[in-house]
Amino acid sequence: MKYKLLLSGSVIAIGFMALMASSINEREDERVALNKVPVVADKIQHKNEEWSRYFPRQYSSWKKTKESSEITDMLKEKPQLAVLWAGYGFAKDYNAPRGHYYALQDNINTLRTGAPVDGKTGPMVTACWTCKSPDVPRIIERDGELEYFTGKWAKYGHEIVNPIGCADCHSNTTGELSVRRPHLDRALQSAGLPTFEDSTHQEKRNLVCAQCHVEYYFQKTEWTDKNGKKKVAKVVTLPWANGLTAEGAEKYYDDMGFKDWTHKISKTPMLKTQHPGYELYKTGIHGQKGVSCADCHMPYTQEGSVKYSDHQLQNPLNTMDRSCMTCHRESEKTLEEIVSKKYDRKDQLHELAMDNLAKAHLETAKAMEAGATDAELKAIRADIRSGQWKWDYAVASHPAFFHAPEETLRLLAVANESAMQARLGLVAVLAKHGVTNYSAPDFTDKKKAQKLAGVPLQKLVDAKKKFKATLEKEWQKQAIKNGNLNMKYRKGVDQESSYF
Ligand code: HEC
Ligand code: HEC
Ligand code: HEC
Ligand code: HEC
């Protein structure tokens, strides 16, 4: 009996050990498979589907960024925006961000990129493709960075055809994380920070995102090509030399006398913030504690015995169990409520600042109409410029209320103070010119606000539709012929916009 028990015990033990060994072997195989250096040839690295053979899990989760498909027309949600951006592209059309899968098509569809009729017509420059596609690193490598940044947006319409993908964040020769755009390392150096190569692994998990989710402008750069032809490039440049802060960037722009545009209503020389997501995140508690973008937005996922990074970049509140609960002990519901309160606090100050800034623009126009001089309006316009910069900085990367709540509220409070200073100044200037009871016109819906901003919406939409029926179709034909575009990935998304 004793022996029998011992024998069956050993059989079980041996069986268990064999099972363990096979499972360890399996994991080892998977690990080796995952780390196997994929050589995705240079010629096809921009085509995301070519990577799927080596990395099916990352590829199929990446493809799911298509699920975040909702279009939110921000000019409808917050009509004040059209007044604030009068004379600038964003007053025409502006949607909240959605999945990476759509980034390229959204750039083509937005009214901001206009309706070019050939490779030489505007309104935008080539730099507008920079954060939309893995074709960008391909072209930079092929044509050189300065040639890539020279000319109008439409120059590369037939070349830049794949949505943000593998070759945007990975080297195609080693598979490792990689930044594929030279502007980031230049900016890190200008700020006295380590370059990508010299950064820690955890920081690299941020820096791949910081290729795109940052504040930037297009620096005018004169150069001579290899045939001796003089050219002017507009190079994506991050204003980080005075630090990664709103005030540092503002000083950078002020010192060089830079403006993005002249405001159509108030004639103020304005700055437009892009999306300083990385810079703001750095000021928040998660950034301070070294929690990376990928920790929340690309949580590890277990599939059988394989662990991999979920490449469905999306709102992490959809994946709280994997994105937050690895560190937090409160319930998901409690944590979600805390986040939602942060949004409400931001939104109250956000509305106040927008309202005061929009009124400051309109009151300045009234003062001009009543005869106020540029000298009288100088300090007022300086307050409007500075206030709107800080407001935009706080909200242009939408979730800063979560990534960096304190800094967001501080910037909105300072923005509101500048707007109020401008409006106080305007009361005096208006009174001096005999205007005592002016109140700004109503801008509470998109139609009214765009009218004040002088946006000829229907004309823009008609031109865009014509462009989509003609030049865009040509681009697609050419790209398919060159073997760069698989239309499977374009079907059904090319008609999505706020105006169709
Ligand atoms: C090549 C440029 C680029 C890189 C690199 C990049 N992004 Fe984006 N990201 C964008 C653009 C452009 C959009 C807006 C797309 C749209 O609205 O069509 C976006 C949108 C998003 C969204 C919104 C998705 C949604 O479902 O609403 C999230 C979240 C996001 N990015 C996070 C990240 C993170 C985290 C990283 C780094 C791991 C990263 N991004 C790297 C350009 C980039
Ligand atoms: C927006 C940037 C971004 C894009 C786009 C992207 N990755 Fe990744 N990828 C990452 C990050 C960040 C990690 C985590 C790396 C780490 O910590 O070592 C990662 C990890 C990986 C890994 C290592 C194993 C793992 O899952 O952690 C593989 C393999 C991989 N990605 C393949 C791909 C493929 C294939 C594509 C295209 C379908 C792709 N990636 C697109 C950022 C990106
Ligand atoms: C601690 C977790 C965490 C970290 C770290 C983090 N995020 Fe987020 N992110 C979130 C949450 C949560 C949201 C959604 C907030 C909301 O809108 O409710 C979000 C939203 C976003 C969005 C907007 C999505 C949309 O559709 O509006 C972008 C873009 C984004 N993050 C990019 C980044 C980048 C880039 C980094 C790193 C520089 C980063 N995030 C770091 C948690 C995180
Ligand atoms: C890698 C660990 C880690 C992850 C992942 C993480 N957090 Fe945190 N979180 C922290 C740390 C550390 C703090 C600072 C507080 C502390 O030290 O206890 C913090 C603080 C917070 C705070 C309070 C700080 C504030 O700004 O008011 C909130 C809210 C929060 N996290 C929400 C989230 C959410 C939502 C997610 C998922 C999308 C998340 N966190 C993911 C580590 C993490």
Side-chain angles (χ1 to χ4, degrees), residues 320-390:
M320 288 183 86
D321 55 331
R322 288 178 289 135
S323 291
C324 319
M325 297 311 153
T326 42
C327 299
H328 285 279
R329 297 222 174 113
E330 37 297 70
S331 71
E332 287 188 19
K333 190 162 168 284
T334 306
L335 204 53
E336 216 169 340
E337 278 165 11
I338 295 174
V339 175
S340 149
K341 284 229 174 65
K342 287 180 190 296
Y343 179 85
D344 294 343
R345 291 189 190 104
K346 186 252 354 191
D347 207 47
Q348 187 183 8
L349 274 182
H350 179 35
E351 290 280 339
L352 283 174
M354 281 196 296
D355 197 54
N356 280 318
L357 285 164
K359 284 177 178 157
H361 284 296
L362 292 160
E363 287 158 4
T364 304
K366 184 69 187 176
M368 281 152 54
E369 189 192 302
T373 63
D374 286 343
E376 282 174 296
L377 293 170
K378 192 161 186 252
I380 288 165
R381 288 188 178 129
D383 277 334
I384 295 178
R385 170 180 158 107
S386 180
Q388 185 156 329
W389 164 255
K390 294 202 180 69

Side-chain angles (χ1 to χ4, degrees), residues 371-420:
T373 63
D374 286 343
E376 282 174 296
L377 293 170
K378 192 161 186 252
I380 288 165
R381 288 188 178 129
D383 277 334
I384 295 178
R385 170 180 158 107
S386 180
Q388 185 156 329
W389 164 255
K390 294 202 180 69
W391 155 79
D392 211 355
Y393 201 98
V395 297
S397 45
H398 310 273
F401 79 88
F402 173 74
H403 292 150
E406 290 91 352
E407 184 66 354
T408 300
L409 297 181
R410 181 187 76 81
L411 287 169
L412 287 173
V414 176
N416 205 26
E417 166 64 12
S418 296
M420 290 307 283

Side-chain angles (χ1 to χ4, degrees), residues 68 97-98 206 209-210 213 277-278 281 286-287 291-297 314-317 323 339 398-399 401-403:
S68 174
R98 55 180 186 150
N206 291 326
C209 317
H213 290 273
Y278 171 74
Y281 143 88
H286 292 103
V291 185
S292 79
C293 316
D295 288 329
C296 293
H297 286 278
Q314 58 173 323
N315 185 330
L317 297 180
S323 291
V339 175
H398 310 273
F401 79 88
F402 173 74
H403 292 150

Side-chain angles (χ1 to χ4, degrees), residues 102-109 468 472 476 490 493-494:
Y102 299 100
L104 182 68
Q105 189 65 52
D106 286 347
N107 181 257
I108 295 170
N109 286 3
K468 289 187 65 63
E472 190 191 4
Q476 291 176 351
R490 213 50 91 73
V493 305
D494 62 344

Side-chain angles (χ1 to χ4, degrees), residues 41-91:
D42 283 341
K43 279 213 179 87
I44 50 171
Q45 58 161 316
H46 54 292
K47 293 163 80 174
N48 297 309
E49 62 273 21
E50 297 290 341
W51 295 66
S52 67
R53 257 182 289 155
Y54 308 97
F55 306 118
R57 292 178 185 85
Q58 287 81 3
Y59 176 78
S60 62
S61 58
W62 164 84
K63 234 168 78 180
K64 286 194 196 149
T65 59
K66 193 179 182 195
E67 287 172 12
S68 174
S69 62
E70 198 182 335
I71 290 190
T72 308
D73 181 348
M74 288 308 292
L75 299 178
K76 251 192 200 143
E77 301 273 312
K78 309 267 187 208
Q80 306 95 314
L81 294 173
V83 174
L84 296 177
W85 292 327
Y88 197 63
F90 281 85

